[in-house]
């Protein structure tokens, strides 16, 4: 077995073991709940990035080789660090979301005392080839009239029940405008 094959097999094994354990860790403390990606997600991202570089070099005379040569550093520099930093925290007073690229993160800090109502919404967009993609959001309408349009990604999807539970305790009206149950 060549060195590249062993590295590829190790990356595949990490991915399989990790996917069996779940992608998201929920950490419950006395006063808050935090959601982060499991340890293996950034490790697998980095491992695949490292494996793609030599594989791309060996296959550089093909179009896939150049794709690997470009994709490897992107995984190492852009996506791996982002997976390390993504986090949602929910407590009795507010929820926070930190997501996106490490060099340009998206942050939300929404205090429940400032919220008048919460709406779960969706936006459907058409791609270049007519393919539809639907994105989901929590629209937190503040008492001041401002609105936080919080995207529901992988971590937020896990945190939404906790956020809505706190909103229910504080008697904040919640509406689901997505048309789903």
């Amino acid at each position: 077995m060549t060195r590249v094959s062993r590295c590829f097999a190790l990356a595949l094994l990490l991915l399989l073991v990790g996917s069996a354990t779940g992608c998201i860790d929920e950490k419950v403390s006395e006063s808050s709940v935090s959601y982060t990606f499991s340890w293996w997600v950034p490790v697998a991202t980095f491992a695949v990035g490292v494996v793609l570089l030599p594989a791309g070099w060996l296959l550089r005379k093909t179009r896939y080789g150049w794709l690997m040569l470009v994709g490897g550093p992107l995984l190492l520099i852009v996506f791996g660090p982002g997976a390390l930093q993504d986090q949602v925290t929910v407590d009795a007073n507010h929820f926070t979301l930190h997501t996106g690229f490490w060099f340009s993160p998206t942050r939300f800090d929404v205090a429940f005392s400032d919220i008048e109502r919460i709406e779960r919404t969706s936006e459907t967009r058409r791609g270049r080839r007519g393919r539809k993609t639907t994105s989901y959001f929590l629209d937190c309408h503040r008492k001041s009239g401002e609105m936080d349009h919080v995207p529901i990604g992988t971590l937020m999807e896990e945190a939404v029940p906790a956020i809505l539970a706190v909103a229910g305790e504080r008697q904040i009206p919640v509406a689901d405008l997505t048309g789903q149950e």
Side-chain angles (χ1 to χ4, degrees):
M1 189 180 244
T2 66
R3 185 179 177 102
V4 172
S5 299
R6 276 183 270 155
C7 288
F8 184 73
L10 178 63
L12 187 61
L13 179 66
L14 276 172
L15 188 64
L16 289 174
V17 168
S19 63
T21 63
C23 294
I24 297 172
D25 286 337
E26 177 182 17
K27 295 178 184 122
V28 179
S29 71
E30 291 178 17
S31 60
S32 68
V33 181
S34 293
Y35 301 88
T36 58
F37 285 114
S38 297
W39 66 271
W40 67 267
V41 173
V43 169
T45 304
F46 285 121
V48 170
V50 168
V51 168
L52 284 177
L53 285 170
W57 183 256
L58 291 173
L59 300 171
R60 69 185 177 274
K61 294 187 178 173
T62 68
R63 119 177 81 162
Y64 298 112
W66 286 104
L67 186 65
M68 290 178 192
L69 280 171
V70 171
L74 279 175
L75 288 173
L76 290 170
I77 296 168
V78 177
F79 297 106
L84 284 170
Q85 294 181 343
D86 285 2
Q87 181 174 0
V88 178
T89 304
V90 182
D91 64 27
N93 299 317
H94 72 290
F95 72 90
T96 61
L97 168 65
H98 183 282
T99 190
F101 301 120
W102 60 269
F103 54 85
S104 179
T106 301
R107 293 186 180 109
F108 290 93
D109 188 350
V110 181
F112 289 112
S113 60
D114 292 341
I115 298 177
E116 183 178 50
R117 71 183 188 280
I118 297 175
E119 296 173 342
R120 186 176 175 143
T121 60
S122 63
E123 293 177 4
T124 303
R125 295 186 178 160
R126 285 198 181 273
R128 290 187 322 197
R129 296 186 178 154
R131 194 179 93 188
K132 291 182 183 179
T133 53
T134 303
S135 301
Y136 296 94
F137 300 89
L138 274 186
D139 290 342
C140 300
H141 296 269
R142 296 179 183 258
K143 294 174 182 172
S144 65
E146 298 174 350
M147 181 185 72
D148 289 318
H149 193 60
V150 183
I152 300 178
T154 305
L155 290 178
M156 270 297 288
E157 192 173 331
E158 293 293 318
V160 163
I163 293 168
L164 297 183
V166 174
E169 291 170 8
R170 291 179 161 258
Q171 299 179 344
I172 298 170
V174 176
D176 188 348
L177 305 178
T178 62
Q180 297 179 342
E181 301 234 351

